[in-house]
Amino acid sequence: MGDISFEAFTRDIHRYFDRDAQFQQRLSELPPGVYLFGHCHIQWHYASDDGRVVLLDAGSCGLPLECVKDSIPYTILELTDGTVRVEERRLPFDFTAYVERFRQSRQYREAPVWSRVIARQLSQSRDCLVFFLQFVERYAQQIGDDRRPYVRETWEQAYALWESAISP
């Protein structure tokens, strides 16, 4: 997946929601308000046409996953006299240097598999963790490992297979 600009990403999000009739119907059924959520590590917001409903995910400064590789997000939400203003901002960021420093960290040494997945996410600026966890689950089933949490050997073997399967 290539790099994209934040503007292109935002435009695509809005186009998608604008065209989704089921989404628009559900949006119109929500009580007026600002709905804050997160955990997807993707900065975006969307407001109903009349502005009575605003959906907002502030994104993640630490692990942004929206494929924008030149900056990190933060969001300012301003509520004034019933008016909602959302300002999405981005700061320039050197992901390459950050990943290199992360690879020198204690966490990287002590939790190598988890850290490699995080480093891959940072390098690609997109989610890898969900796909890796699904892969580990299938791998553990294949080898008959029903222990949870997985033992280090299962993590390491699954990661090696996963990485060889996804690397060019």
Side-chain angles (χ1 to χ4, degrees):
M1 176 179 285
D3 296 353
I4 64 170
S5 70
F6 180 68
E7 294 75 21
F9 177 79
T10 300
R11 182 191 63 239
D12 290 347
I13 289 283
H14 284 260
R15 275 190 196 151
Y16 178 79
F17 287 139
D18 287 345
R19 294 176 183 169
D20 187 325
Q22 183 178 9
F23 172 82
Q24 290 297 324
Q25 176 61 40
R26 296 289 172 108
L27 187 68
S28 72
E29 296 168 0
L30 289 173
V34 177
Y35 294 81
L36 303 173
F37 49 95
H39 202 65
C40 70
H41 296 249
I42 297 173
Q43 180 189 48
W44 65 274
H45 79 281
Y46 186 85
S48 60
D49 286 339
D50 60 7
R52 68 177 196 74
V53 175
V54 176
L55 307 176
L56 171 66
D57 187 323
S60 172
C61 282
L63 188 58
L65 300 177
E66 70 269 275
C67 300
V68 178
K69 295 170 79 174
D70 64 352
S71 57
I72 55 174
Y74 70 99
T75 303
I76 297 173
L77 173 62
E78 186 178 303
L79 306 171
T80 308
D81 299 324
T83 302
V84 176
R85 187 175 75 81
V86 176
E87 186 177 342
E88 294 170 328
R89 294 186 179 180
R90 301 195 66 90
L91 298 172
F93 194 75
D94 185 346
F95 282 94
T96 303
Y98 184 71
V99 169
E100 188 53 42
R101 187 166 182 171
F102 176 59
R103 287 184 174 136
Q104 306 305 316
S105 73
R106 180 177 172 190
Q107 176 184 327
Y108 199 88
R109 288 187 305 277
E110 293 183 7
V113 170
W114 193 255
S115 296
R116 285 185 202 126
V117 175
I118 291 170
R120 181 178 287 277
Q121 288 190 153
L122 286 165
S123 296
Q124 296 178 356
S125 191
R126 63 185 177 113
D127 187 26
C128 298
L129 184 58
V130 170
F131 303 109
F132 174 64
L133 292 175
Q134 291 170 347
F135 186 90
V136 173
E137 181 64 29
R138 287 190 306 272
Y139 175 74
Q141 289 172 354
Q142 287 174 356
I143 65 170
D145 184 353
D146 59 357
R147 297 167 288 188
R148 300 297 180 272
Y150 305 114
V151 296
R152 188 176 192 131
E153 182 178 287
T154 298
W155 281 113
E156 290 173 352
Q157 290 173 351
Y159 184 80
L161 289 169
W162 179 70
E163 189 174 47
S164 68
I166 64 171
S167 294

